[in-house]
Amino acid sequence: MTVERRMHLRTHHQSEPILVAPPLSSATAYPFDAAPFWWLWNAHQWHSADPARLRRRAVTLGIVAWLPLVLLTVQQRGAGSPDVWLSALLDVRIIARYLIAIPVLVVGEPAYIGRLSGIVRHFQRAAFVRRADTTRFARILSTSRSMLANHLAEVVIVLLAYGISLRLLLPMFAGGTAGWQLQGVAENPRLSVHAQWWLVFVSQPLFIIFVARWCWRSVIWHRTLRCIARLDLNLVPAHPDRSGGLLFVAQSIPALAPFGFALGAALAGAMAGSTSPRAFDLATLAGAVGVLLATLLIFAVGPLCWLWRPLRAAKLRGIVEYGELAVRIGRRFEERWLRERRFVTSDALSASDFSATIDLYSVVMGVYTLRVVPVKLRSVLKLVLATVIPFFPVLLSIVPAKDVLHVAAKLFL
């Protein structure tokens, strides 16, 4: 839709009062409550989930994935040896992946769901969605919920989880140690054969299923914003957030922090617990962190890029309309103070024309600096920080602590 067409529609809509659209139903107001396998452990809506129940669920799933690995290893190699117990209990690779990452994914999921649902509700509550588009907006959210709860997605996730587990974990299918020293999870001499079978058919698929739940919900969020961006959004070019009023959408970026922390913990644990004779170096660590951050930023910032079309149209419209207003006020100001009055008296110091003109021009300047993608650097930094925190122990094992502190001091001083 061209800018001229949008301006014509906006002129047509100005004759109608901007009213808050009718409230959404419970199915469309919380479209992201649904998820693959929600019927297994989601008896209530996620936005009103009991925190104590979530913590118990997280602890239970973590124990199911981790504790049998320890017990099976000890049972097969001898329960009377303290070394066997310590080797299994202190295995960083399985602790990071199953005792830390899985509980974080479970506990952090409601916050992500609540943030997404709050964002889509605010589109209508703040009248960014016009009354004429209410039906389309509700249909978008209803379709998103149906896609999240689609049983076909569950089948694909299960096949993917066991396909990855069999391909990467079983020694008979593994292709050997990777060129950058990152071993498969089953290439772990601390685990017995029986424990590796439990890892292949229970622990690792459970971990992949929860990662896939987050990924699938992010894909649906991507699709939801793409459809919302096609509506005739009622944006305000002079909004102080410099994003037409849509900067609230950027709150979805730090909501992915638990997901980034869980993936970072799993990858950092795999690196820290590696038994490969080839030691990790700083370039390998930087490459792993870089790939992980790039992937997460695509998931986090990518959906917001769909809003560039309505924001760009709002910016062009604002430049024309607010620019015309600024020109008219500027000419009135010049006529009054530069042409009509040849002498300036003491009354000029108390005149409100100067402050009113400055205020208007600051508003117009905000229109010219409007972002076409509603992203704030602070939101991105929160996600980046949560992702890289698990890698600090790995960094300290490669680089001496005094060198790390020396570099950090140079950055902040």
Side-chain angles (χ1 to χ4, degrees), residues 235-245 314 317-318 322 362-364 366-367 370:
L235 304 183
V236 181
H239 197 281
D241 68 356
R242 294 170 51 200
S243 297
R317 173 174 61 83
Y322 284 86
S362 65
V363 172
V364 177
V367 175
L370 186 145

Side-chain angles (χ1 to χ4, degrees), residues 42-178:
N42 190 19
H44 303 282
Q45 291 180 322
W46 278 98
H47 65 272
S48 59
D50 182 15
R53 176 178 297 180
L54 286 173
R55 287 193 294 267
R56 290 194 299 268
R57 183 181 302 160
V59 172
T60 300
L61 291 171
I63 290 176
V64 168
W66 172 76
L67 187 58
L69 301 177
V70 176
L71 297 180
L72 289 172
T73 299
V74 171
Q75 184 270 332
Q76 189 173 5
R77 294 183 177 177
S81 175
D83 294 338
V84 175
W85 280 96
L86 292 176
S87 177
L89 286 172
L90 302 180
D91 188 352
V92 178
R93 301 174 70 180
I94 62 175
I95 290 177
R97 189 178 295 256
Y98 307 124
L99 203 57
I100 296 178
I102 289 181
V104 168
L105 291 174
V106 175
V107 174
E109 198 169 13
Y112 183 50
I113 294 170
R115 189 70 58 85
L116 297 186
S117 297
I119 289 172
V120 295
R121 289 200 310 275
H122 191 70
F123 269 104
Q124 190 181 43
R125 185 169 54 242
F128 290 112
V129 177
R130 303 182 186 274
R131 291 183 63 91
D133 290 330
T134 302
T135 303
R136 290 180 59 191
F137 183 68
R139 190 182 303 118
I140 291 171
L141 302 187
S142 178
T143 303
S144 298
R145 185 180 182 90
S146 300
M147 294 178 66
L148 280 171
N150 195 324
H151 293 299
L152 178 60
E154 298 174 352
V155 175
V156 172
I157 289 175
V158 170
L159 295 177
L160 181 66
Y162 280 97
I164 293 176
S165 298
L166 292 173
R167 177 64 181 86
L168 299 180
L169 304 183
L170 283 181
M172 65 185 69
F173 292 107
T177 303

Side-chain angles (χ1 to χ4, degrees), residues 203-222:
S203 302
Q204 186 67 6
L206 192 62
F207 171 74
I208 295 176
I209 285 174
F210 274 99
V211 172
R213 279 167 61 97
W214 280 76
C215 292
W216 182 237
R217 188 175 279 110
S218 297
V219 170
I220 300 303
W221 170 240
H222 192 286

Side-chain angles (χ1 to χ4, degrees), residues 267-308:
L267 182 56
M271 300 176 72
S274 175
T275 57
S276 173
R278 299 175 60 187
F280 284 96
D281 54 15
L282 193 58
T284 301
L285 177 62
V289 175
V291 171
L292 180 59
L293 285 177
T295 304
L296 286 173
L297 290 178
I298 291 174
F299 272 99
V301 182
L304 277 64
C305 294
W306 288 108
L307 297 172
W308 78 271

Side-chain angles (χ1 to χ4, degrees), residues 41 70 248 300 334:
W41 46 66
V70 176
F248 67 94
E334 290 179 351

